[in-house]
Every structure is written in structure tokens, then in C-alpha cells.
Amino acid sequence: MIIISSIQRHTLSSDSAMLVYFDREAPKLWRKMCAEATVEVSLLAENWKIILAGLIFQYIHGLAAHGVHYIHRPGPLLQDSGYLLLPELGQDKSYISETVFSFMFGSFVLWTLHPFLFQRKRIYTVLIWCRVFIYLVVSQILQIVTFYSTQLPGPNYHCREGSKFARLPHPENALDVLFFNFPSGLIYGCGDLIFSSHMIFTLIFVRTYHKYGTKRYIKQFAWLLAVIQSFLIIASRKHYTVDIVVGWYTVNLIAFFVDKKLPELPDRSSALSLLPLSTREKDGKNKDEHHRLLNGISGANAN
């Protein structure tokens, strides 16, 4: 009984200590998130046009990809080296490549939001997404020009002769185009081949983390996933090998030249903490960081 009572007292003491810890840390986390939001809102006020233009262009890109489906004509698969080297996964395993892509997409989005939660950080969320949207828009413009120049017979299962999705009937009204024949138009697309949209997003996300991330092993793992994703797309017969190869060197070249034109992002690793100890210190630190950032952004816009 004495031992049991001792264990119970120890458990209660540990629980009490844990509650005290959470009670003490929760306000700090909330203050840090509010301080971070203040800085990010200031950056968003200066860069909202880039963010909005990037989001609008994602819809325009979707319209272009849907539009090329109307002129797609199924035909025999082209001779492809990747198809000869990689065994076909089959229609029932096509979800594997989408799962890998979804994991990479979600992981990148969460990483761009980590400054709101963690004290150690090197990036500003708004500035990272401004850069990502610039990469995306330039890459997608070149992609649209390319896949409208020459329409290849889609290798995906739903793009082959005999599938009801291989050809789209002429739209009955503008809404069919503007809303992508929802939902089938969002799932079953054909004709937007060279070069792969999945590789555009994948390579931009991996390159961005490679440049601004801090964990070396995550960088190496991300590049490995990009390579695996390339093989899975080919093995799933969602793209020809040329779509993947062109994506690899085009996106990397675009990022290389865009980086030469854009000013470098500020490094926050040596910046003052955004977790204030008092209201006066909070205002002083936020004003100082806000002023420094806006000066840097103004200089970037001038370039």
C-alpha cells in the first residue's frame, strides 16, 4: 500500500508539473504565433499582387490543360525507352505515384508554415510562396506553349482508344469549360503532356527546400523522392519519358535564371526572436524587423 501510494503521488506530481508546463508554454506559443502573423501580414500587404497573380494563373493553367483535352485524339502509344526499361505497374497501382506526390506536396506546405510554430527558422512564409509562384508561372507558361504546339496521343489508360474519356465532346456552353466539366474534367485529363505538371511542382518544391531548408538528410531524401516519383510516373504510363526528362532540365534551368533576376531572400537564422518578453520589447522588435524587411522588399521591387 505504501508503494502504491508513493506511485500515485509521483504520478499526480508529474501530471501537475505537465499541466503547469503547458499553462506556461501555451501563452508563449500564442504570442509567438501572433507576432509571426503580424510580420507575415505586413509582407503580404507588400506582395499580395504576386500571390494573387500566382493563384489566378493556377486556374488559367487548369483551363489550358482542360482545353487541350478537347483537341486530343487517342492513338497508338509512341515508342518510349522508359516503357521498355520499366515494367508497367498497371491501372490498379496508379495511385502509388499520386500518393508520393501528395506526400511531397503536403510536406512542403507544412514546412512553409513552420515559422508560425517553431522558434528556429530561416524563412518568411509569404516570401517563400512569392518565389514558388514565380517559378510555377514561368514553368507553366512554357508548358502550355509546348503541349499546344503538338498534341501527342496520351499514354494514360483513360486516354487510349476505347475509353470514354479519351475524347471530349464539344462543350455545350462556356460553363463546361470554365468549370472543367466538374468533376470528371479534374480527374481525367489528356493532351497536357510535355512537360509533366507533377514534375514542375515536385522539382520546384525540392529545389526550394534544398536552398532554404536546414536539414541535410531531408534534402537528400527529397531529391531521392523526386527521382522515385519520376520512375513511378513512367511506370504508371501517365507520361512519356520525354515529358519527365524535359521537366527535369527545364524546371531547373528556369529556377537557375529566375534566381539570377530575383534578390536573395533574407535569412532569419540570425534575426531577433519574435517571442517578446514584454509589450514594449515586442513592439520594438516587430517594428525593427518590419522596417528592415520592407526596406529589403522595396529594393527588390526596384530591381
Side-chain angles (χ1 to χ4, degrees):
M1 292 296 294
I2 296 175
I3 296 176
I4 294 175
S5 299
S6 176
I7 292 175
Q8 289 176 339
R9 285 196 301 272
H10 178 73
T11 303
L12 291 174
S13 177
S14 300
D15 291 343
S16 300
M18 187 66 69
L19 290 174
V20 170
Y21 175 79
F22 281 126
D23 288 342
R24 184 175 65 250
E25 292 298 321
K28 291 182 180 180
L29 178 61
W30 176 248
R31 289 199 303 271
K32 184 160 70 69
M33 292 175 63
C34 291
E36 190 71 27
T38 301
V39 174
E40 294 289 350
V41 167
S42 299
L43 292 171
L44 184 60
E46 290 290 323
N47 297 275
W48 67 270
K49 292 181 180 178
I50 298 176
I51 300 293
L52 181 60
L55 291 172
I56 291 175
F57 195 82
Q58 298 313 298
Y59 175 72
I60 295 174
H61 176 262
L63 284 179
H66 184 58
V68 78
H69 195 170
Y70 285 107
I71 56 179
H72 171 263
R73 293 296 177 265
L77 293 183
L78 304 179
Q79 183 173 338
D80 190 280
S81 301
Y83 292 0
L84 297 175
L85 297 174
L86 294 174
E88 188 171 350
L89 284 179
Q91 193 169 2
D92 59 329
K93 295 185 176 63
S94 61
Y95 68 90
I96 298 177
S97 64
E98 294 299 325
T99 302
V100 174
F101 176 76
S102 299
F103 171 76
M104 298 185 72
F105 190 100
S107 299
F108 181 80
V109 171
L110 291 177
W111 171 72
T112 63
L113 297 176
H114 85 273
F116 288 90
L117 299 175
F118 297 97
Q119 191 67 28
R120 296 185 61 187
K121 50 216 169 188
R122 290 184 56 193
I123 65 168
Y124 295 95
T125 301
V126 169
L127 297 184
I128 279 288
W129 278 106
C130 285
R131 211 173 190 90
V132 166
F133 277 126
I134 292 173
Y135 294 148
L136 281 174
V137 169
V138 176
S139 300
Q140 289 168 336
I141 288 175
L142 293 181
Q143 183 200 23
I144 291 171
V145 171
T146 305
F147 65 61
Y148 268 102
S149 299
T150 301
Q151 291 79 51
L152 303 180
N156 211 333
Y157 301 101
H158 64 264
C159 299
R160 300 177 185 179
E161 193 69 64
S163 171
K164 65 178 182 180
F165 299 108
R167 299 169 183 257
L168 284 183
H170 292 293
E172 297 180 359
N173 51 60
L175 293 180
D176 287 345
V177 179
L178 295 176
F179 292 101
F180 310 108
N181 296 106
F182 185 84
S184 62
L186 293 176
I187 302 173
Y188 302 102
C190 301
D192 54 330
L193 294 175
I194 300 178
F195 40 99
S196 168
S197 293
H198 281 64
M199 293 312 301
I200 291 176
F201 281 92
T202 297
L203 292 173
I204 287 174
F205 291 166
V206 173
R207 278 188 62 94
T208 303
Y209 184 81
H210 182 86
K211 187 171 185 178
Y212 300 108
T214 57
K215 305 295 185 183
R216 183 179 178 183
Y217 67 92
I218 295 182
K219 297 178 183 181
Q220 295 171 342
F221 180 65
W223 282 112
L224 176 62
L225 277 184
V227 174
I228 294 173
Q229 171 79 350
S230 303
F231 290 142
L232 287 174
I233 291 175
I234 297 171
S236 300
R237 304 303 190 252
K238 295 179 179 179
H239 277 277
Y240 294 110
T241 305
V242 65
D243 307 340
I244 306 302
V245 172
V246 173
W248 267 91
Y249 63 71
T250 303
V251 174
N252 281 294
L253 285 173
I254 288 171
F256 175 77
F257 286 108
V258 168
D259 283 341
K260 282 185 167 294
K261 296 296 183 180
L262 295 180
E264 189 50 76
L265 295 184
D267 188 348
R268 303 186 64 180
S269 57
S270 59
L272 293 174
S273 170
L274 287 176
L275 181 59
L277 298 177
S278 66
T279 304
R280 180 176 297 179
E281 289 182 7
K282 176 180 71 174
D283 294 339
K285 290 177 182 179
N286 286 343
K287 286 180 180 178
D288 178 68
E289 185 169 29
H290 176 63
H291 180 70
R292 185 173 64 255
L293 282 172
L294 293 186
N295 285 341
I297 296 169
S298 300
N301 293 335
N303 291 335

